[in-house]
Amino acid sequence: MSVEAFEIAENGGANLKDVDDDGRPRRTGILITASAHIITAVIGSGVLSLAWAIAQLGWIIGPTVLIAFSLITWFCSSLLTDCYRAPDPVHGKRNYTYGDAVRAYLGDVKYRFCSLAQYVNLVGVTIGYTITTAISMGAVKRSNCFHQQGHQAPCKVSDTTNMIIFAAIQIVLSQLPNFHELSLLSLVAAVMSITYSSIGLALSIAKIAGGGHVRTTLTGVTVGVDVSGTEKIWRTFQSLGDIAFAYSYSNVLIEIQDTLKSSPPENKVMKKATSIGVSTTTLFYMLCGMLGYAAFGNEAPGNFLTGFGFYDPFWLIDIGNICIAIHLIGAYQVFAQPIFQFLENYIRNRYPENGFIHSERIINIPIIGKFPFSPFRLVWRTLYVIITSLVAMIFPFFNDFLGLIGALSFWPLTVYFPVEMYKKQAQISKFSKTGIWLNTLSSACLVVSILAACGSVQGLVQALAHYKPFKVS
């Protein structure tokens, strides 16, 4: 029995009250759950690098770039919400994934390009979240060690061990059948993201109020004082990638929209959720980036929450890092579920007679209750978590990795495909005023993505040159 058939059977049979217009179990998502999914997806580990990014750009360009990315993300996401259904945004056929929407509007060739960009990004994000969680778990251990043994204690921790613990948790959570089971997890994760961002803000304000001599400038890190001219250029490009990563959620927007009730229309609800999610995260991003820069100056660390030291108040820093870990446990699933669904649907369609792939039965789990279990889902999702964790162990570079992921995904997924689908849906000529403006926006964002990718690759090369795999830090 499939998961969908099980859900319908549990509700008393497949009648019109139990299913939506596509024959699938009736969706129950609302504005609050969609907003929580968005906040969970957007406010992630990217917020931790924003103080560093602002430090590279300075007081004028830094906030300007942050607001620009926010507006572009909001605008293009609003275009994308209308592409959930095709050809009509309200009464058309549903598209269950981002790739489905691209195929419906732009054809198979661009669908393949989109799928490649989307799933490379999703895999990269899950690897990045594994790295970030391990760093936060290690920060808690070091903080408690310093508190118990004194500030001069060695207090070394292994990121590898923390990644193994994180992987074990994800193996269990990855058995959730689909995206529709993540609403509670996303709500908890959204609360955690706001909590640790608020703690970072409070610590920044306390550090600023406590005085000290930090140097900030209108143009960020100073050539000849903080960095060389070449380093300034590369860091500027990399900071663009970090900011782009902080806003990367378009690749799961359609999947989130597919959880919504059909009345009121999904695109209207999703536009409201997008406005709430992006405006909320931008407020936190501006505060975290600017106050973090004010607190640390041109020496702002890559992860501003671990830059306050591990001494006092150790308990508050612990809470912040615990919240990061809890949030990323949920966020990992938000980004991993589309990967799981894509590969499972592909393999099931390719091998329709394979008993192992299609086998599924209901088991009773204490407290949880009835749960659909699939041997194929257990094996392949476990392998995925293990492989991404191994990659994270080999390349645990926080800033450079986030910047590269953001650079590679920003233009194609956040800008290009939403713009192209909207033009197709609204039948906009490329030589019309609207068409010219949209093409100009897309071209400018392509240039930004290329520059950001170059800066992040250069940072990764430098980091690799000075790193020994599996080093205990």
Side-chain angles (χ1 to χ4, degrees):
M1 178 184 290
S2 68
V3 175
E4 292 170 0
F6 166 66
E7 291 173 344
I8 293 174
E10 283 292 289
N11 290 328
N15 56 56
L16 295 178
K17 294 182 179 180
D18 299 321
V19 298
D20 276 322
D21 55 347
D22 58 347
R24 294 194 173 191
R26 187 166 295 280
R27 294 158 177 84
T28 58
I30 57 176
L31 178 63
I32 294 176
T33 59
S35 300
H37 280 315
I38 292 173
I39 293 172
T40 300
V42 180
I43 301 184
S45 55
V47 69
L48 303 175
S49 65
L50 291 180
W52 181 89
I54 298 295
Q56 312 314 307
L57 301 172
W59 284 117
I60 297 177
I61 298 178
T64 301
V65 170
L66 198 60
I67 292 175
F69 272 92
S70 170
L71 292 175
I72 292 170
T73 300
W74 168 79
F75 174 73
C76 293
S77 296
S78 296
L79 299 183
L80 186 56
T81 61
D82 285 333
C83 300
Y84 169 62
R85 289 179 180 265
D88 184 80
V90 177
H91 303 293
K93 181 179 179 294
R94 295 174 186 267
N95 295 298
Y96 304 119
T97 67
Y98 193 119
D100 289 344
V102 172
R103 179 159 51 189
Y105 282 99
L106 303 178
D108 286 337
V109 174
K110 289 190 176 181
Y111 162 72
R112 294 188 184 96
F113 174 52
C114 169
S115 295
L116 177 63
Q118 182 185 16
Y119 293 111
V120 166
N121 172 259
L122 291 173
V123 172
V125 170
T126 56
I127 294 171
Y129 282 179
T130 303
I131 296 170
T132 310
T133 306
I135 292 173
S136 294
M137 292 169 67
V140 173
K141 293 180 180 179
R142 292 187 66 194
S143 173
N144 291 332
C145 176
F146 284 129
H147 180 69
Q148 295 172 1
Q149 301 182 24
H151 296 176
Q152 304 304 317
C155 293
K156 294 183 178 181
V157 298
S158 172
D159 286 341
T160 301
T161 301
N162 293 331
M163 289 181 190
I164 292 173
I165 296 172
F166 180 75
I169 296 172
Q170 292 304 333
I171 287 173
V172 175
L173 292 179
S174 292
Q175 303 314 307
L176 290 172
N178 53 52
F179 216 122
H180 303 270
E181 308 296 331
L182 296 178
S183 294
L184 179 59
L185 195 60
S186 284
L187 285 171
V188 172
V191 172
M192 292 298 102
S193 63
I194 293 175
T195 300
Y196 71 69
S197 297
S198 300
I199 289 174
L201 291 176
L203 291 172
S204 295
I205 293 172
K207 186 174 175 63
I208 295 169
H213 302 284
V214 296
R215 184 167 53 85
T216 64
T217 60
L218 292 178
T219 57
V221 291
T222 306
V223 174
V225 178
D226 304 303
V227 293
S228 66
T230 302
E231 287 177 326
K232 173 72 173 180
I233 294 173
W234 287 124
R235 286 191 177 193
T236 297
F237 292 163
Q238 184 183 334
S239 66
L240 296 177
D242 284 352
I243 295 174
F245 177 83
Y247 279 104
S248 62
Y249 89 99
S250 297
N251 50 355
V252 293
L253 185 147
I254 296 294
E255 285 82 352
I256 293 173
Q257 192 167 347
D258 189 46
T259 67
L260 292 174
K261 294 179 178 179
S262 56
S263 180
E266 302 92 348
N267 62 329
K268 292 184 178 180
V269 176
M270 197 63 186
K271 285 179 181 179
K272 292 180 181 179
T274 295
S275 297
I276 292 172
V278 174
S279 60
T280 300
T281 55
T282 299
L283 173 63
F284 276 98
Y285 283 178
M286 289 293 290
L287 291 173
C288 289
M290 296 178 71
L291 290 178
Y293 181 41
F296 294 104
N298 288 349
E299 297 182 357
N303 182 337
F304 93 118
L305 195 55
T306 60
F308 295 98
F310 299 98
Y311 309 139
D312 298 307
F314 83 98
W315 57 270
L316 187 58
I317 295 172
D318 282 357
I319 292 175
N321 282 292
I322 290 171
C323 287
I324 291 175
I326 295 174
H327 168 243
L328 295 186
I329 286 171
Y332 183 103
Q333 287 299 313
V334 170
F335 284 91
Q337 283 291 334
I339 303 173
F340 297 156
Q341 296 297 322
F342 170 76
L343 188 136
E344 287 163 17
N345 290 336
Y346 173 80
I347 292 182
R348 283 169 179 159
N349 291 332
R350 188 173 178 84
Y351 303 100
E353 304 299 328
N354 188 292
F356 174 75
I357 293 174
H358 290 270
S359 174
E360 189 164 296
R361 59 193 180 90
I362 307 304
I363 61 175
N364 286 312
I365 301 177
I367 300 177
I368 296 177
K370 293 182 178 180
F371 188 84
F373 172 76
S374 164
F376 169 61
R377 187 162 58 232
L378 173 64
V379 172
W380 116 256
R381 293 188 181 189
T382 299
L383 285 175
Y384 175 83
V385 173
I386 292 173
I387 291 172
T388 54
S389 298
L390 287 174
V391 174
M393 292 174 193
I394 297 172
F395 303 106
F397 311 122
F398 179 73
N399 267 38
D400 305 303
F401 205 89
L402 298 193
L404 183 58
I405 297 170
L408 293 177
S409 65
F410 174 68
W411 175 72
L413 298 176
T414 301
V415 181
Y416 175 75
F417 286 115
V419 165
E420 292 300 309
M421 286 190 286
Y422 174 76
K423 286 163 56 180
K424 184 76 172 181
Q425 183 188 68
Q427 298 181 340
I428 296 175
S429 169
K430 64 180 179 181
F431 297 111
S432 66
K433 290 183 179 180
T434 302
I436 292 172
W437 184 86
L438 290 174
N439 290 334
T440 301
L441 172 66
S442 182
S443 299
C445 291
L446 172 60
V447 173
V448 170
S449 284
I450 292 172
L451 295 178
C454 291
S456 298
V457 168
Q458 192 271 346
L460 278 172
V461 170
Q462 280 195 337
L464 280 170
H466 299 90
Y467 178 75
K468 294 181 179 180
F470 301 105
K471 178 181 179 182
V472 175
S473 58

